[in-house]
Amino acid sequence: MAGMTPEAAFIAALRGIASHPAARGLADDCAVLELGRETLILTHDMMVEGVHWLAGQDPADVAWKLLATNLSDLAAKGAEPIGVLLGYTLAEDNNRFIEGLGEALAHFGVPLLGGDTVRSPGAQTVGLTALGRATCQPVPSRSGAQAGNTVWITGPVGAAMLGFEALTCGNTSADTSAYRRPTPRLAEGCALAPLVTAMMDVSDGLLLDASRMAEASNVTIALDPARIPVPVGLPKDRLRDAISWGDDYELLFTLPVEAAPPCPAHCIGSVLPAGEAPLLLDGAAPYGQLGYEHR
Amino acid sequence: MAGMTPEAAFIAALRGIASHPAARGLADDCAVLELGRETLILTHDMMVEGVHWLAGQDPADVAWKLLATNLSDLAAKGAEPIGVLLGYTLAEDNNRFIEGLGEALAHFGVPLLGGDTVRSPGAQTVGLTALGRATCQPVPSRSGAQAGNTVWITGPVGAAMLGFEALTCGNTSADTSAYRRPTPRLAEGCALAPLVTAMMDVSDGLLLDASRMAEASNVTIALDPARIPVPVGLPKDRLRDAISWGDDYELLFTLPVEAAPPCPAHCIGSVLPAGEAPLLLDGAAPYGQLGYEHR
Protein backbone atom coordinates (compact mmCIF):
# COMPACT_ATOMS: atom_id res chain seq x y z
CA MET A 1 0.00 0.00 0.00
CA ALA A 2 2.97 2.29 -0.54
CA GLY A 3 1.96 5.70 -1.88
CA MET A 4 -1.60 5.39 -0.65
CA THR A 5 -3.15 7.88 1.74
CA PRO A 6 -3.94 6.30 5.13
CA GLU A 7 -7.62 6.40 4.23
CA ALA A 8 -7.11 4.66 0.90
CA ALA A 9 -4.93 2.03 2.59
CA PHE A 10 -7.63 1.46 5.24
CA ILE A 11 -10.35 1.05 2.63
CA ALA A 12 -8.16 -1.30 0.62
CA ALA A 13 -7.65 -3.43 3.73
CA LEU A 14 -11.38 -3.32 4.56
CA ARG A 15 -12.16 -4.69 1.10
CA GLY A 16 -10.55 -7.92 2.25
CA ILE A 17 -13.34 -8.39 4.78
CA ALA A 18 -16.21 -6.94 2.72
CA SER A 19 -16.83 -9.83 0.36
CA HIS A 20 -20.64 -9.73 0.40
CA PRO A 21 -21.96 -8.70 -3.03
CA ALA A 22 -24.13 -6.00 -1.43
CA ALA A 23 -20.93 -4.19 -0.43
CA ARG A 24 -20.04 -3.72 -4.11
CA GLY A 25 -16.38 -4.07 -3.17
CA LEU A 26 -16.65 -0.81 -1.17
CA ALA A 27 -16.10 0.87 -4.54
CA ASP A 28 -19.51 2.46 -4.98
CA ASP A 29 -21.40 5.23 -3.22
CA CYS A 30 -23.71 2.83 -1.41
CA ALA A 31 -24.37 -0.75 -0.48
CA VAL A 32 -27.12 -2.38 -2.54
CA LEU A 33 -28.96 -5.08 -0.64
CA GLU A 34 -31.73 -7.31 -1.95
CA LEU A 35 -34.30 -7.83 0.79
CA GLY A 36 -37.48 -9.66 -0.04
CA ARG A 37 -39.09 -7.74 -2.89
CA GLU A 38 -37.25 -4.54 -2.10
CA THR A 39 -33.74 -3.41 -2.92
CA LEU A 40 -32.31 -1.44 -0.03
CA ILE A 41 -29.72 1.24 -0.65
CA LEU A 42 -27.50 2.01 2.34
CA THR A 43 -24.87 4.63 2.95
CA HIS A 44 -23.00 6.09 5.93
CA ASP A 45 -21.03 9.34 5.77
CA MET A 46 -19.20 11.10 8.56
CA MET A 47 -18.15 14.71 9.06
CA VAL A 48 -15.55 16.07 11.48
CA GLU A 49 -15.25 19.62 12.82
CA GLY A 50 -12.29 21.40 11.29
CA VAL A 51 -12.01 18.78 8.55
CA HIS A 52 -15.43 18.74 6.88
CA TRP A 53 -16.75 21.98 8.26
CA LEU A 54 -15.22 25.21 9.47
CA ALA A 55 -14.88 25.67 13.21
CA GLY A 56 -17.48 28.26 14.13
CA GLN A 57 -19.86 27.42 11.29
CA ASP A 58 -23.56 27.38 12.16
CA PRO A 59 -24.32 23.84 13.42
CA ALA A 60 -27.68 24.07 11.63
CA ASP A 61 -25.76 24.14 8.34
CA VAL A 62 -23.62 21.21 9.47
CA ALA A 63 -26.75 19.16 10.13
CA TRP A 64 -28.20 20.12 6.76
CA LYS A 65 -25.01 19.17 4.95
CA LEU A 66 -24.71 15.87 6.81
CA LEU A 67 -28.17 14.89 5.65
CA ALA A 68 -27.71 16.29 2.14
CA THR A 69 -24.44 14.46 1.48
CA ASN A 70 -25.91 11.13 2.52
CA LEU A 71 -29.06 11.72 0.48
CA SER A 72 -26.82 12.60 -2.46
CA ASP A 73 -25.39 9.08 -2.29
CA LEU A 74 -28.93 7.71 -2.46
CA ALA A 75 -29.67 10.03 -5.39
CA ALA A 76 -26.74 8.52 -7.28
CA LYS A 77 -28.48 5.14 -7.03
CA GLY A 78 -31.85 6.48 -8.08
CA ALA A 79 -33.16 5.67 -4.61
CA GLU A 80 -35.98 7.18 -2.60
CA PRO A 81 -34.98 7.91 1.02
CA ILE A 82 -36.66 5.77 3.69
CA GLY A 83 -35.01 7.17 6.81
CA VAL A 84 -31.81 8.01 8.63
CA LEU A 85 -29.93 7.17 11.82
CA LEU A 86 -27.74 9.78 13.48
CA GLY A 87 -24.41 9.36 15.27
CA TYR A 88 -23.58 12.50 17.22
CA THR A 89 -20.87 13.60 19.62
CA LEU A 90 -22.15 16.34 21.89
CA ALA A 91 -21.03 19.95 21.47
CA GLU A 92 -21.43 22.74 24.00
CA ASP A 93 -24.56 23.99 22.30
CA ASN A 94 -26.56 21.37 20.47
CA ASN A 95 -29.76 23.31 19.81
CA ARG A 96 -28.80 24.77 16.44
CA PHE A 97 -27.80 21.33 15.19
CA ILE A 98 -31.20 19.94 16.11
CA GLU A 99 -32.96 22.89 14.52
CA GLY A 100 -31.02 22.47 11.29
CA LEU A 101 -31.51 18.73 11.24
CA GLY A 102 -35.24 19.10 11.79
CA GLU A 103 -35.45 21.68 9.04
CA ALA A 104 -33.50 19.52 6.59
CA LEU A 105 -35.46 16.34 7.41
CA ALA A 106 -38.71 18.22 6.85
CA HIS A 107 -37.39 19.80 3.65
CA PHE A 108 -36.44 16.46 2.13
CA GLY A 109 -39.34 14.55 3.73
CA VAL A 110 -37.11 12.01 5.46
CA PRO A 111 -37.81 10.54 8.91
CA LEU A 112 -35.21 10.27 11.67
CA LEU A 113 -35.36 6.65 12.82
CA GLY A 114 -32.75 6.46 15.57
CA GLY A 115 -29.11 6.81 16.42
CA ASP A 116 -26.67 7.37 19.22
CA THR A 117 -25.27 10.32 21.13
CA VAL A 118 -21.97 10.27 22.99
CA ARG A 119 -19.54 12.52 24.77
CA SER A 120 -16.19 13.07 23.12
CA PRO A 121 -13.18 15.01 24.35
CA GLY A 122 -12.00 15.81 20.82
CA ALA A 123 -13.25 17.42 17.65
CA GLN A 124 -16.96 17.01 17.13
CA THR A 125 -17.77 14.07 14.89
CA VAL A 126 -21.15 13.43 13.31
CA GLY A 127 -22.25 10.51 11.20
CA LEU A 128 -25.41 9.61 9.39
CA THR A 129 -26.70 6.37 7.97
CA ALA A 130 -29.26 6.82 5.20
CA LEU A 131 -31.52 4.05 3.94
CA GLY A 132 -33.26 4.22 0.64
CA ARG A 133 -35.36 2.06 -1.64
CA ALA A 134 -34.20 1.49 -5.21
CA THR A 135 -36.72 2.76 -7.73
CA CYS A 136 -35.36 0.83 -10.70
CA GLN A 137 -33.38 -2.26 -11.59
CA PRO A 138 -30.54 -2.65 -12.21
CA VAL A 139 -29.42 -0.10 -9.63
CA PRO A 140 -26.94 2.30 -11.30
CA SER A 141 -23.30 1.88 -10.43
CA ARG A 142 -20.08 3.70 -11.20
CA SER A 143 -18.83 0.88 -13.33
CA GLY A 144 -21.18 0.76 -16.29
CA ALA A 145 -19.84 3.50 -18.56
CA GLN A 146 -19.22 2.22 -22.10
CA ALA A 147 -17.14 3.52 -24.98
CA GLY A 148 -19.39 5.62 -27.19
CA ASN A 149 -21.52 6.90 -24.30
CA THR A 150 -21.97 10.60 -23.66
CA VAL A 151 -20.99 12.12 -20.28
CA TRP A 152 -23.33 14.46 -18.44
CA ILE A 153 -23.66 16.48 -15.26
CA THR A 154 -26.85 17.82 -13.69
CA GLY A 155 -25.52 21.27 -12.81
CA PRO A 156 -22.54 23.55 -12.28
CA VAL A 157 -19.42 22.78 -10.30
CA GLY A 158 -17.55 25.47 -8.38
CA ALA A 159 -20.39 27.10 -6.46
CA ALA A 160 -19.46 25.27 -3.25
CA MET A 161 -15.84 26.43 -3.67
CA LEU A 162 -16.94 30.05 -4.07
CA GLY A 163 -19.18 29.70 -1.03
CA PHE A 164 -16.36 28.22 1.04
CA GLU A 165 -14.03 31.02 0.02
CA ALA A 166 -16.58 33.69 0.86
CA LEU A 167 -17.14 32.10 4.28
CA THR A 168 -13.44 31.85 5.09
CA CYS A 169 -12.70 35.45 4.07
CA GLY A 170 -15.76 36.77 5.88
CA ASN A 171 -17.56 38.02 2.78
CA THR A 172 -21.01 38.15 4.30
CA SER A 173 -22.74 39.55 1.22
CA ALA A 174 -21.94 36.51 -0.93
CA ASP A 175 -24.37 33.62 -1.38
CA THR A 176 -22.64 30.74 0.40
CA SER A 177 -25.57 28.35 0.37
CA ALA A 178 -24.03 25.96 -2.18
CA TYR A 179 -21.29 25.20 0.34
CA ARG A 180 -23.43 25.34 3.48
CA ARG A 181 -26.66 23.72 2.29
CA PRO A 182 -26.12 21.60 -0.81
CA THR A 183 -29.08 20.08 -2.62
CA PRO A 184 -29.03 16.34 -3.25
CA ARG A 185 -30.38 15.59 -6.73
CA LEU A 186 -32.97 13.08 -5.56
CA ALA A 187 -35.64 13.67 -8.21
CA GLU A 188 -33.03 13.79 -10.95
CA GLY A 189 -31.47 10.53 -9.71
CA CYS A 190 -34.80 8.71 -9.84
CA ALA A 191 -35.57 10.10 -13.30
CA LEU A 192 -32.12 9.21 -14.64
CA ALA A 193 -31.67 5.76 -13.06
CA PRO A 194 -33.56 3.79 -15.77
CA LEU A 195 -31.52 5.45 -18.55
CA VAL A 196 -27.94 5.80 -17.36
CA THR A 197 -25.14 3.33 -17.97
CA ALA A 198 -23.22 4.72 -14.95
CA MET A 199 -23.97 7.34 -12.31
CA MET A 200 -22.35 8.82 -9.20
CA ASP A 201 -22.50 12.05 -7.25
CA VAL A 202 -19.71 14.59 -7.54
CA SER A 203 -18.57 14.98 -3.95
CA ASP A 204 -14.78 15.06 -4.21
CA GLY A 205 -14.37 17.13 -7.40
CA LEU A 206 -15.45 16.55 -10.98
CA LEU A 207 -12.03 15.49 -12.25
CA LEU A 208 -11.41 13.02 -9.45
CA ASP A 209 -14.90 11.56 -9.52
CA ALA A 210 -14.93 11.26 -13.32
CA SER A 211 -11.56 9.55 -13.09
CA ARG A 212 -12.99 7.09 -10.53
CA MET A 213 -15.95 6.36 -12.78
CA ALA A 214 -13.59 5.74 -15.69
CA GLU A 215 -11.41 3.39 -13.65
CA ALA A 216 -14.41 1.49 -12.26
CA SER A 217 -15.80 1.13 -15.79
CA ASN A 218 -12.44 0.34 -17.39
CA VAL A 219 -12.81 3.13 -19.95
CA THR A 220 -11.34 6.57 -20.56
CA ILE A 221 -13.56 9.58 -19.99
CA ALA A 222 -12.79 12.62 -22.15
CA LEU A 223 -14.15 15.90 -20.79
CA ASP A 224 -14.52 19.09 -22.80
CA PRO A 225 -13.70 21.92 -20.38
CA ALA A 226 -15.57 24.47 -22.49
CA ARG A 227 -18.81 22.58 -21.90
CA ILE A 228 -18.51 22.13 -18.14
CA PRO A 229 -21.13 24.34 -16.45
CA VAL A 230 -19.82 26.72 -13.80
CA PRO A 231 -21.58 29.28 -11.63
CA VAL A 232 -22.21 32.75 -13.00
CA GLY A 233 -19.38 34.98 -11.90
CA LEU A 234 -16.65 32.34 -11.73
CA PRO A 235 -13.43 34.04 -12.92
CA LYS A 236 -12.27 32.42 -16.16
CA ASP A 237 -8.91 31.42 -14.72
CA ARG A 238 -10.58 29.47 -11.92
CA LEU A 239 -12.14 26.74 -14.05
CA ARG A 240 -9.45 24.27 -13.09
CA ASP A 241 -10.03 25.05 -9.40
CA ALA A 242 -13.77 24.60 -9.83
CA ILE A 243 -13.45 21.17 -11.41
CA SER A 244 -10.98 19.98 -8.76
CA TRP A 245 -13.05 21.16 -5.81
CA GLY A 246 -15.63 18.95 -4.15
CA ASP A 247 -18.88 19.50 -2.33
CA ASP A 248 -21.09 20.30 -5.32
CA TYR A 249 -23.21 17.13 -5.17
CA GLU A 250 -24.38 17.23 -8.76
CA LEU A 251 -24.88 13.89 -10.50
CA LEU A 252 -22.33 12.74 -13.05
CA PHE A 253 -23.69 10.14 -15.46
CA THR A 254 -23.20 8.47 -18.81
CA LEU A 255 -25.86 7.76 -21.43
CA PRO A 256 -26.06 5.77 -24.64
CA VAL A 257 -25.30 8.23 -27.45
CA GLU A 258 -28.90 8.31 -28.69
CA ALA A 259 -30.43 8.99 -25.26
CA ALA A 260 -31.38 12.40 -23.91
CA PRO A 261 -31.64 13.07 -20.18
CA PRO A 262 -35.16 13.53 -18.75
CA CYS A 263 -34.02 16.42 -16.54
CA PRO A 264 -31.85 19.51 -16.99
CA ALA A 265 -28.26 18.39 -17.56
CA HIS A 266 -25.15 19.37 -19.50
CA CYS A 267 -23.24 17.13 -21.89
CA ILE A 268 -19.60 17.56 -20.93
CA GLY A 269 -17.76 14.81 -22.74
CA SER A 270 -17.67 11.30 -24.09
CA VAL A 271 -16.54 7.83 -23.13
CA LEU A 272 -13.62 6.29 -25.03
CA PRO A 273 -12.11 2.82 -24.91
CA ALA A 274 -9.61 2.55 -22.06
CA GLY A 275 -6.47 4.43 -23.00
CA GLU A 276 -3.33 5.27 -21.09
CA ALA A 277 -5.09 7.69 -18.76
CA PRO A 278 -8.54 7.19 -17.24
CA LEU A 279 -9.32 10.86 -17.78
CA LEU A 280 -8.66 13.33 -20.56
CA LEU A 281 -9.32 17.06 -20.24
CA ASP A 282 -9.27 18.85 -23.58
CA GLY A 283 -7.53 15.80 -25.02
CA ALA A 284 -4.74 15.44 -22.45
CA ALA A 285 -4.37 13.76 -19.07
CA PRO A 286 -4.80 16.51 -16.46
CA TYR A 287 -1.78 17.28 -14.30
CA GLY A 288 -1.73 17.72 -10.54
CA GLN A 289 -4.32 16.92 -7.93
CA LEU A 290 -7.70 15.96 -9.36
CA GLY A 291 -9.80 16.60 -6.30
CA TYR A 292 -10.39 16.08 -2.62
CA GLU A 293 -8.29 13.01 -1.88
CA HIS A 294 -9.12 12.40 1.74
CA ARG A 295 -7.23 15.43 2.90
CA MET B 1 -34.59 20.20 30.64
CA ALA B 2 -33.12 21.26 33.96
CA GLY B 3 -31.31 18.46 35.74
CA MET B 4 -30.81 16.42 32.60
CA THR B 5 -27.40 15.37 31.38
CA PRO B 6 -26.48 17.04 28.07
CA GLU B 7 -27.02 13.71 26.32
CA ALA B 8 -30.46 13.20 27.82
CA ALA B 9 -31.38 16.78 26.90
CA PHE B 10 -30.19 16.22 23.33
CA ILE B 11 -32.19 13.02 22.98
CA ALA B 12 -35.26 14.70 24.45
CA ALA B 13 -34.93 17.46 21.85
CA LEU B 14 -34.37 14.94 19.05
CA ARG B 15 -37.64 13.23 19.99
CA GLY B 16 -39.38 16.34 18.76
CA ILE B 17 -38.19 15.59 15.22
CA ALA B 18 -38.42 11.79 15.35
CA SER B 19 -42.15 11.34 15.00
CA HIS B 20 -42.10 8.38 12.61
CA PRO B 21 -43.50 5.28 14.35
CA ALA B 22 -40.41 3.26 13.30
CA ALA B 23 -38.34 5.48 15.60
CA ARG B 24 -40.30 4.20 18.61
CA GLY B 25 -39.92 7.63 20.18
CA LEU B 26 -36.13 7.06 20.39
CA ALA B 27 -36.97 5.18 23.58
CA ASP B 28 -36.07 1.68 22.47
CA ASP B 29 -32.83 -0.07 21.55
CA CYS B 30 -33.56 -0.02 17.83
CA ALA B 31 -35.75 1.39 15.12
CA VAL B 32 -38.35 -1.06 13.83
CA LEU B 33 -39.28 -0.46 10.22
CA GLU B 34 -41.86 -2.33 8.19
CA LEU B 35 -40.56 -2.79 4.65
CA GLY B 36 -42.57 -4.91 2.27
CA ARG B 37 -42.88 -8.32 3.89
CA GLU B 38 -39.88 -7.80 6.12
CA THR B 39 -39.49 -5.96 9.38
CA LEU B 40 -36.11 -4.25 9.48
CA ILE B 41 -34.39 -3.64 12.80
CA LEU B 42 -31.88 -0.79 12.77
CA THR B 43 -29.42 0.46 15.33
CA HIS B 44 -26.39 2.75 15.42
CA ASP B 45 -23.95 2.86 18.32
CA MET B 46 -20.78 4.92 18.66
CA MET B 47 -17.67 4.50 20.77
CA VAL B 48 -15.05 7.14 21.60
CA GLU B 49 -11.45 6.58 22.70
CA GLY B 50 -10.99 7.40 26.35
CA VAL B 51 -14.76 7.36 26.94
CA HIS B 52 -15.90 3.92 25.75
CA TRP B 53 -12.53 2.24 25.65
CA LEU B 54 -9.25 2.69 27.45
CA ALA B 55 -6.50 4.56 25.62
CA GLY B 56 -3.96 1.93 24.66
CA GLN B 57 -6.45 -0.93 24.49
CA ASP B 58 -5.97 -3.35 21.61
CA PRO B 59 -7.93 -1.90 18.64
CA ALA B 60 -8.93 -5.45 17.71
CA ASP B 61 -10.93 -5.59 20.94
CA VAL B 62 -12.46 -2.17 20.19
CA ALA B 63 -13.65 -3.46 16.82
CA TRP B 64 -15.07 -6.60 18.41
CA LYS B 65 -16.91 -4.62 21.06
CA LEU B 66 -18.27 -2.13 18.53
CA LEU B 67 -19.81 -4.97 16.57
CA ALA B 68 -20.95 -6.89 19.66
CA THR B 69 -22.73 -3.93 21.25
CA ASN B 70 -24.67 -3.21 18.07
CA LEU B 71 -25.56 -6.87 17.60
CA SER B 72 -26.72 -6.91 21.22
CA ASP B 73 -29.30 -4.27 20.32
CA LEU B 74 -30.52 -6.54 17.52
CA ALA B 75 -30.60 -9.48 19.95
CA ALA B 76 -32.92 -7.52 22.21
CA LYS B 77 -35.40 -7.36 19.33
CA GLY B 78 -35.07 -11.05 18.48
CA ALA B 79 -33.52 -10.03 15.15
CA GLU B 80 -31.11 -11.87 12.88
CA PRO B 81 -28.24 -9.64 11.69
CA ILE B 82 -28.23 -8.77 7.98
CA GLY B 83 -25.14 -6.57 7.81
CA VAL B 84 -23.31 -3.54 9.14
CA LEU B 85 -21.90 -0.21 7.99
CA LEU B 86 -18.80 1.22 9.64
CA GLY B 87 -17.95 4.84 10.46
CA TYR B 88 -14.28 5.14 11.33
CA THR B 89 -11.87 7.96 12.12
CA LEU B 90 -8.33 6.95 11.26
CA ALA B 91 -5.80 6.12 13.96
CA GLU B 92 -2.04 5.91 13.54
CA ASP B 93 -2.20 2.16 13.19
CA ASN B 94 -5.41 0.78 11.75
CA ASN B 95 -4.37 -2.79 11.07
CA ARG B 96 -5.35 -4.28 14.41
CA PHE B 97 -8.79 -2.71 14.15
CA ILE B 98 -9.33 -4.33 10.77
CA GLU B 99 -8.08 -7.67 12.05
CA GLY B 100 -10.41 -7.55 15.03
CA LEU B 101 -13.36 -6.43 12.94
CA GLY B 102 -12.75 -9.21 10.42
CA GLU B 103 -12.51 -11.75 13.20
CA ALA B 104 -15.71 -10.55 14.87
CA LEU B 105 -17.68 -10.36 11.61
CA ALA B 106 -16.62 -13.91 10.79
CA HIS B 107 -17.40 -15.09 14.32
CA PHE B 108 -20.95 -13.73 14.22
CA GLY B 109 -21.44 -14.42 10.50
CA VAL B 110 -22.30 -10.82 9.64
CA PRO B 111 -21.24 -9.08 6.40
CA LEU B 112 -19.67 -5.64 6.24
CA LEU B 113 -21.75 -3.71 3.70
CA GLY B 114 -20.10 -0.29 3.59
CA GLY B 115 -19.26 2.81 5.55
CA ASP B 116 -17.03 5.82 5.67
CA THR B 117 -13.52 6.63 6.84
CA VAL B 118 -12.35 10.11 7.77
CA ARG B 119 -9.43 11.92 9.32
CA SER B 120 -10.00 13.49 12.70
CA PRO B 121 -7.69 15.62 14.81
CA GLY B 122 -9.27 14.49 18.06
CA ALA B 123 -10.05 11.34 19.98
CA GLN B 124 -10.76 8.38 17.75
CA THR B 125 -14.47 7.87 17.17
CA VAL B 126 -16.00 4.76 15.68
CA GLY B 127 -19.61 4.08 14.84
CA LEU B 128 -21.50 1.13 13.51
CA THR B 129 -24.93 0.76 11.99
CA ALA B 130 -26.36 -2.74 12.25
CA LEU B 131 -29.33 -3.97 10.23
CA GLY B 132 -31.31 -6.98 11.21
CA ARG B 133 -34.44 -8.82 10.24
CA ALA B 134 -37.14 -9.42 12.84
CA THR B 135 -37.79 -13.11 13.40
CA CYS B 136 -41.14 -12.71 15.12
CA GLN B 137 -44.06 -10.34 15.42
CA PRO B 138 -44.73 -8.28 17.38
CA VAL B 139 -41.11 -7.20 17.79
CA PRO B 140 -40.30 -7.07 21.51
CA SER B 141 -40.00 -3.65 23.10
CA ARG B 142 -39.04 -2.27 26.48
CA SER B 143 -42.54 -1.19 27.18
CA GLY B 144 -44.55 -4.39 27.43
CA ALA B 145 -43.83 -5.57 30.98
CA GLN B 146 -47.05 -6.26 32.89
CA ALA B 147 -47.84 -6.58 36.56
CA GLY B 148 -47.65 -10.24 37.50
CA ASN B 149 -44.86 -11.04 35.03
CA THR B 150 -41.62 -12.59 36.15
CA VAL B 151 -38.29 -10.82 35.47
CA TRP B 152 -35.33 -12.69 33.99
CA ILE B 153 -31.76 -12.24 32.85
CA THR B 154 -29.78 -14.51 30.53
CA GLY B 155 -26.53 -14.45 32.49
CA PRO B 156 -24.38 -12.82 35.16
CA VAL B 157 -23.69 -9.12 35.58
CA GLY B 158 -20.38 -7.85 36.87
CA ALA B 159 -17.93 -9.78 34.70
CA ALA B 160 -17.30 -6.77 32.47
CA MET B 161 -16.62 -4.66 35.57
CA LEU B 162 -14.09 -7.17 36.87
CA GLY B 163 -12.47 -7.29 33.42
CA PHE B 164 -12.26 -3.51 33.26
CA GLU B 165 -10.72 -3.34 36.72
CA ALA B 166 -8.16 -6.01 35.87
CA LEU B 167 -7.22 -4.14 32.68
CA THR B 168 -6.84 -0.79 34.41
CA CYS B 169 -4.69 -2.16 37.22
CA GLY B 170 -2.57 -4.21 34.82
CA ASN B 171 -3.60 -7.60 36.17
CA THR B 172 -2.58 -9.60 33.12
CA SER B 173 -3.47 -13.00 34.59
CA ALA B 174 -7.18 -12.17 34.91
CA ASP B 175 -9.74 -13.07 32.27
CA THR B 176 -10.80 -9.70 30.90
CA SER B 177 -12.71 -11.02 27.91
CA ALA B 178 -16.15 -10.09 29.28
CA TYR B 179 -15.11 -6.43 29.11
CA ARG B 180 -13.06 -6.63 25.93
CA ARG B 181 -15.09 -9.03 23.83
CA PRO B 182 -18.69 -9.26 25.01
CA THR B 183 -21.05 -11.80 23.51
CA PRO B 184 -24.35 -10.54 22.11
CA ARG B 185 -27.15 -12.97 22.99
CA LEU B 186 -28.41 -13.37 19.43
CA ALA B 187 -29.65 -16.96 19.64
CA GLU B 188 -31.26 -16.31 23.01
CA GLY B 189 -32.95 -13.17 21.66
CA CYS B 190 -34.51 -15.07 18.76
CA ALA B 191 -35.64 -17.91 21.05
CA LEU B 192 -37.12 -15.51 23.60
CA ALA B 193 -38.78 -13.01 21.27
CA PRO B 194 -42.05 -14.95 20.77
CA LEU B 195 -42.50 -15.40 24.53
CA VAL B 196 -41.43 -12.20 26.26
CA THR B 197 -43.67 -9.32 27.20
CA ALA B 198 -40.67 -6.95 27.25
CA MET B 199 -36.97 -7.31 26.45
CA MET B 200 -33.84 -5.16 26.30
CA ASP B 201 -30.12 -5.66 26.60
CA VAL B 202 -28.28 -4.67 29.76
CA SER B 203 -25.70 -2.22 28.49
CA ASP B 204 -25.75 0.56 31.09
CA GLY B 205 -26.16 -1.51 34.26
CA LEU B 206 -28.89 -3.84 35.48
CA LEU B 207 -30.46 -1.38 37.89
CA LEU B 208 -30.59 1.47 35.40
CA ASP B 209 -31.82 -0.67 32.52
CA ALA B 210 -34.44 -2.41 34.66
CA SER B 211 -35.58 1.00 35.82
CA ARG B 212 -35.88 2.14 32.19
CA MET B 213 -37.91 -0.94 31.33
CA ALA B 214 -40.21 -0.26 34.29
CA GLU B 215 -40.70 3.37 33.28
CA ALA B 216 -41.33 2.49 29.63
CA SER B 217 -43.86 -0.14 30.73
CA ASN B 218 -45.43 2.01 33.43
CA VAL B 219 -44.91 -0.64 36.09
CA THR B 220 -42.62 -1.21 39.05
CA ILE B 221 -39.95 -3.89 38.75
CA ALA B 222 -38.96 -5.59 42.02
CA LEU B 223 -35.58 -7.31 41.93
CA ASP B 224 -34.39 -9.88 44.45
CA PRO B 225 -30.66 -9.23 44.88
CA ALA B 226 -30.04 -12.73 46.19
CA ARG B 227 -31.17 -14.19 42.86
CA ILE B 228 -29.13 -11.95 40.57
CA PRO B 229 -26.39 -14.06 38.96
CA VAL B 230 -22.85 -12.74 39.34
CA PRO B 231 -19.53 -14.10 38.15
CA VAL B 232 -17.72 -16.66 40.25
CA GLY B 233 -15.25 -14.84 42.46
CA LEU B 234 -17.17 -11.57 42.81
CA PRO B 235 -16.58 -10.37 46.37
CA LYS B 236 -19.85 -10.37 48.30
CA ASP B 237 -19.67 -6.66 49.07
CA ARG B 238 -19.43 -5.80 45.37
CA LEU B 239 -22.92 -6.91 44.35
CA ARG B 240 -24.18 -3.35 44.28
CA ASP B 241 -21.24 -2.34 42.05
CA ALA B 242 -21.91 -5.27 39.73
CA ILE B 243 -25.57 -4.39 39.24
CA SER B 244 -24.78 -0.71 38.63
CA TRP B 245 -22.02 -1.37 36.09
CA GLY B 246 -22.72 -1.65 32.38
CA ASP B 247 -21.17 -3.52 29.50
CA ASP B 248 -22.48 -7.01 30.29
CA TYR B 249 -24.87 -7.30 27.33
CA GLU B 250 -27.08 -9.96 28.83
CA LEU B 251 -30.77 -9.82 27.94
CA LEU B 252 -33.25 -8.61 30.53
CA PHE B 253 -36.81 -9.77 29.89
CA THR B 254 -40.21 -10.33 31.40
CA LEU B 255 -42.45 -13.36 30.97
CA PRO B 256 -46.03 -14.24 31.84
CA VAL B 257 -45.89 -16.03 35.19
CA GLU B 258 -46.67 -19.45 33.71
CA ALA B 259 -43.98 -19.26 30.99
CA ALA B 260 -40.49 -20.74 31.21
CA PRO B 261 -37.62 -19.40 29.12
CA PRO B 262 -36.41 -21.64 26.27
CA CYS B 263 -32.76 -20.86 27.03
CA PRO B 264 -30.62 -20.66 30.17
CA ALA B 265 -31.80 -17.71 32.25
CA HIS B 266 -32.22 -16.62 35.86
CA CYS B 267 -35.45 -15.39 37.43
CA ILE B 268 -34.46 -12.27 39.38
CA GLY B 269 -37.71 -10.59 40.27
CA SER B 270 -41.27 -9.75 39.46
CA VAL B 271 -43.33 -7.00 37.93
CA LEU B 272 -45.70 -5.03 40.18
CA PRO B 273 -48.29 -2.38 39.40
CA ALA B 274 -46.64 1.04 39.12
CA GLY B 275 -45.73 2.23 42.60
CA GLU B 276 -43.85 5.24 43.84
CA ALA B 277 -40.51 4.03 42.47
CA PRO B 278 -40.00 2.31 39.12
CA LEU B 279 -37.50 -0.06 40.72
CA LEU B 280 -37.34 -1.92 44.01
CA LEU B 281 -34.27 -3.79 45.20
CA ASP B 282 -35.00 -6.09 48.13
CA GLY B 283 -38.24 -4.18 48.59
CA ALA B 284 -36.84 -0.64 48.66
CA ALA B 285 -36.00 1.96 46.03
CA PRO B 286 -32.23 1.77 45.51
CA TYR B 287 -30.23 4.84 46.50
CA GLY B 288 -27.52 6.52 44.45
CA GLN B 289 -26.52 6.11 40.85
CA LEU B 290 -28.19 3.19 39.12
CA GLY B 291 -25.79 2.79 36.23
CA TYR B 292 -23.90 4.31 33.37
CA GLU B 293 -25.81 7.55 32.77
CA HIS B 294 -24.03 8.93 29.76
CA ARG B 295 -20.95 9.80 31.75
Side-chain angles (χ1 to χ4, degrees), chain A residues 186-214:
Chain A
L186 286 162
E188 292 85 345
C190 288
L192 287 164
L195 303 174
V196 300
T197 50
M199 185 154 66
M200 67 189 295
D201 70 329
V202 179
S203 54
D204 293 342
L206 174 59
L207 293 188
L208 180 58
D209 286 328
S211 159
R212 288 171 174 161
M213 179 183 278

Side-chain angles (χ1 to χ4, degrees), chain A residues 6-7 10-11 13-14 17-18 20 22-23 26 31 33 35 37-38 40 42-46 48 51-52 82 85-90 94 98 101-102 105 111-123 125 129 131 133 295, chain B residues 6-7 10-11 13-14 17-18 20 22-23 26 31 33 35 37-38 40 42-46 48 51-52 82 85-90 94 98 101-102 105 111-123 125 129 131 133 295:
Chain A
E7 185 176 359
F10 182 79
I11 294 170
L14 267 191
I17 57 172
H20 193 286
L26 304 183
L33 183 72
L35 191 76
R37 293 181 180 182
E38 299 274 5
L40 267 191
L42 298 161
T43 186
H44 179 81
D45 277 359
M46 296 173 86
V48 178
V51 179
H52 300 89
I82 294 174
L85 290 94
L86 174 69
Y88 185 82
T89 63
L90 291 164
N94 304 293
I98 291 175
L101 183 64
L105 289 167
L112 176 66
L113 301 178
D116 194 21
T117 309
V118 295
R119 272 196 318 114
S120 167
T125 304
T129 299
L131 281 85
R133 177 190 283 115
R295 285 176 293 214
Chain B
E7 186 177 358
F10 183 79
I11 294 170
L14 268 191
I17 58 171
H20 192 286
L26 304 183
L33 184 70
L35 191 77
R37 292 182 181 180
E38 299 275 5
L40 268 190
L42 299 160
T43 186
H44 179 80
D45 276 359
M46 295 173 87
V48 178
V51 179
H52 300 90
I82 294 176
L85 289 95
L86 173 69
Y88 184 82
T89 64
L90 292 163
N94 303 294
I98 291 177
L101 183 63
L105 289 167
L112 175 67
L113 301 179
D116 194 21
T117 309
V118 295
R119 272 197 316 113
S120 168
T125 305
T129 299
L131 280 83
R133 177 189 284 115
R295 284 177 292 214

Side-chain angles (χ1 to χ4, degrees), chain B residues 125-191:
Chain B
T125 305
V126 294
L128 199 88
T129 299
L131 280 83
R133 177 189 284 115
T135 60
C136 96
Q137 292 284 2
V139 175
S141 77
R142 296 181 179 188
S143 60
Q146 291 160 19
N149 286 175
T150 49
V151 180
W152 301 74
I153 192 163
T154 49
V157 291
M161 174 186 80
L162 295 179
F164 174 85
E165 291 172 354
L167 271 183
T168 46
C169 71
N171 176 357
T172 52
S173 68
D175 178 4
T176 57
S177 57
Y179 175 75
R180 293 181 300 105
R181 300 203 167 200
T183 300
R185 300 295 177 200
L186 286 162
E188 292 85 345
C190 287

